[in-house]
């Protein structure tokens, strides 16, 4: 039996959780800095670091209390080591490393995208290896062939903006507050289809990479020449969302054909998008496979996915030394297998 405290501070969410390999998730706490950054239209790194410092201790205490355990019951500590904002990462890394040292327990620095990739494992119906993973967050978009934990092959990734970033930037052009992704999606639900058609970038040539920055420019040009009323904006939002979802679906299908995998996992903030979920679910039914995704609150950043991923590695005897490290850029396919 093993019980791990997980700490996530890579961006603008402080997430803490306690995960037990027999009992499952015992507690998870989250503080979102969304309101703090909204005035600036995006995450301000220095403010993010300071807010993590403010919130991390009370949230750790709360997570331990809600899990009904003391540090004696914790067998290891997992914290997000990267990729992310270096100052924000260092807050979690310092806390995780220091707690583990004082409790005399092992600590491990977790790759944030591995956390997202394994988040569907927190649900009852878990995908079996191997599978294709579509990771779509605010900072990354990638297609990964997953043979097992730590056995990752990055098949394609964004050459410019991440999918979530494209949502956020387009939402900003439409005057929606940060983070615009969910807001744009809500506006799109009021849109009428067929008024506008956005391009499906990089779908006409072979390969599994993405490019989303052109969609933002296309949106800017469309917004500039069309009337500025609610219905028009909703129609544009819908056309944008359809283009992103279509592009992601086309690339997933291509990657499934290439790999021969039957199962698809979607994770990261944009996997909360209902149009994306239903498009991929429909496609997988057609292909005779299945799509897996985490519950809504575990699509975006959280401590539970970090506790889960860290536990898998700690259980296999992997751990980090006493150094406190934040790794802003960290290729996923350099991780050791478990
Ligand atoms: O995974 P995440 O919480 O943070 C990163 O690791 O980046 O992802 C946040 C991103 C933001 O860009 C946000 O706008 C987007 O996920 N997002 C959505 C939705 N919910 C979150 N995008 C589209 N539709 C949604 N429902
Ligand atoms: Zn994330």
């Amino acid at each position: 039996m093993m019980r791990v405290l997980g700490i996530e501070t890579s961006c603008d969410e402080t997430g803490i959780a306690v995960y037990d390999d027999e009992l499952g998730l015992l507690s998870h706490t989250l503080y979102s800095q969304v309101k703090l950054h909204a005035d600036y239209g995006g995450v301000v790194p220095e403010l993010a670091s300071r807010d993590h410092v403010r919130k991390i201790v009370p949230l750790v205490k709360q997570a331990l209390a809600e899990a009904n355990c003391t540090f004696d019951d914790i067998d290891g500590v997992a914290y997000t080591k990267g990729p992310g904002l270096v100052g924000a990462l260092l807050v979690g890394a310092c806390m995780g490393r220091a707690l583990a040292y004082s409790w005399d327990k092992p600590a491990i620095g977790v790759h944030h995208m591995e956390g997202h990739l394994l988040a569907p494992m927190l649900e009852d119906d878990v995908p079996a290896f191997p599978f294709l993973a579509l990771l779509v967050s605010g900072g990354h978009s990638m297609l990964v062939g997953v043979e097992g934990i730590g056995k990752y092959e990055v098949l394609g990734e964004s050459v410019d903006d991440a999918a979530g970033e494209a949502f956020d930037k387009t939402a900003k052009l439409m005057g929606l507050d940060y983070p615009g992704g969910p807001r744009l999606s809500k506006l799109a639900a009021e849109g009428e289809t067929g008024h506008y058609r956005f391009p499906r970038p990089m779908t006409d040539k072979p390969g599994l990479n993405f490019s989303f920055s052109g969609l933002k420019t296309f949106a800017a040009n469309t917004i500039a020449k069309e009337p500025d009323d609610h219905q028009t904006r909703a129609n544009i939002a819908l056309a944008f969302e359809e283009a992103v979802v279509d592009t992601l679906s086309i690339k997933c299908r291509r990657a499934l054909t290439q790999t021969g995998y039957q199962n698809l996992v979607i994770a990261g903030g944009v996997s909360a998008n209902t149009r994306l979920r239903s498009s991929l679910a429909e496609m997988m039914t057609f292909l005779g496979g299945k799509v897996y995704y985490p519950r809504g609150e575990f699509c975006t950043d959280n401590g539970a996915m970090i506790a889960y991923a860290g536990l898998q590695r700690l259980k296999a005897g992997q751990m980090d030394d006493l150094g406190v490290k934040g790794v802003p850029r960290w290729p996923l396919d350099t991780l050791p297998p478990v």
Side-chain angles (χ1 to χ4, degrees):
M1 189 179 126
M2 189 174 217
R3 193 172 286 185
V4 168
L5 176 75
I7 300 174
E8 157 61 37
T9 64
S10 68
C11 189
D12 58 349
E13 253 110 28
T14 319
I16 313 288
V18 178
Y19 187 87
D20 182 296
D21 65 346
E22 282 177 13
L23 304 172
L25 188 63
L26 298 183
S27 68
H28 67 103
T29 58
L30 187 87
Y31 175 75
S32 171
Q33 304 178 352
V34 158
K35 282 203 190 73
L36 173 73
H37 301 292
D39 287 347
Y40 304 92
V43 179
V44 183
E46 182 57 25
L47 294 182
S49 312
R50 292 183 199 186
D51 223 31
H52 285 305
V53 170
R54 241 163 32 88
K55 291 290 175 189
I56 195 164
V57 172
L59 286 178
V60 167
K61 286 183 175 164
Q62 189 188 337
L64 289 173
E66 284 174 13
N68 215 357
C69 60
T70 68
F71 69 84
D72 261 342
D73 307 310
I74 300 291
D75 303 301
V77 180
Y79 56 87
T80 304
K81 189 163 78 176
L85 304 170
V86 72
L89 288 167
L90 283 173
V91 178
C94 283
M95 177 58 65
R97 188 53 269 181
L99 285 176
Y101 181 72
S102 62
W103 296 347
D104 200 17
K105 303 285 161 64
I108 187 142
V110 171
H111 192 294
H112 182 76
M113 298 313 289
E114 175 171 72
H116 277 305
L117 195 157
L118 298 176
M121 304 295 185
L122 295 163
E123 306 306 327
D124 292 335
D125 185 17
V126 302
F129 298 113
F131 55 76
L132 176 73
L134 172 69
L135 303 181
V136 271
S137 72
H140 298 86
S141 302
M142 45 181 147
L143 276 166
V144 188
V146 181
E147 292 277 340
I149 296 175
K151 294 178 188 139
Y152 308 135
E153 188 188 353
V154 178
L155 303 167
E157 56 196 324
S158 180
V159 298
D160 42 53
D161 293 353
E165 193 178 356
F167 263 99
D168 294 341
K169 286 179 175 171
T170 302
K172 199 170 178 179
L173 289 170
M174 306 188 108
L176 301 170
D177 280 346
Y178 178 85
R183 291 189 169 89
L184 187 149
S185 181
K186 214 168 145 203
L187 180 61
E190 295 174 53
E192 287 164 14
T193 198
H195 290 280
Y196 303 97
R197 187 174 167 85
F198 278 57
R200 273 61 175 157
M202 293 179 80
T203 52
D204 53 349
K205 39 182 178 182
L208 295 171
N209 283 342
F210 307 103
S211 165
F212 291 113
S213 71
L215 286 182
K216 176 188 63 196
T217 313
F218 195 91
N221 293 338
T222 311
I223 293 163
K225 67 173 194 283
E226 295 296 318
D228 185 22
D229 61 82
H230 183 80
Q231 191 56 49
T232 303
R233 273 188 290 128
N235 296 345
I236 297 171
L238 175 60
F240 167 83
E241 191 180 57
E242 283 174 339
V244 175
V245 167
D246 232 25
T247 304
L248 292 173
S249 304
I250 292 167
K251 297 282 167 149
C252 281
R253 184 157 182 186
R254 208 177 269 180
L256 288 164
T257 308
Q258 187 178 311
T259 57
Y261 294 153
Q262 302 270 303
N263 292 327
L264 173 67
V265 157
I266 52 171
V270 182
S271 68
N273 186 277
T274 45
R275 184 174 303 276
L276 179 65
R277 287 182 175 203
S278 52
S279 165
L280 293 175
E282 200 180 306
M283 181 181 87
M284 292 314 286
T285 308
F286 176 76
L287 295 175
K290 203 171 161 189
V291 62
Y292 297 84
Y293 40 77
R295 73 191 83 160
E297 61 183 327
F298 294 158
C299 287
T300 44
D301 293 348
N302 64 85
M305 66 185 195
I306 301 304
Y308 180 87
L311 187 143
Q312 308 311 313
R313 293 190 174 276
L314 287 167
K315 215 164 67 173
Q318 298 181 13
M319 64 183 84
D320 273 19
D321 61 24
L322 291 180
V324 174
K325 286 185 208 85
V327 187
R329 286 174 193 279
W330 185 6
L332 182 67
D333 49 12
T334 59
L335 295 181
V338 170

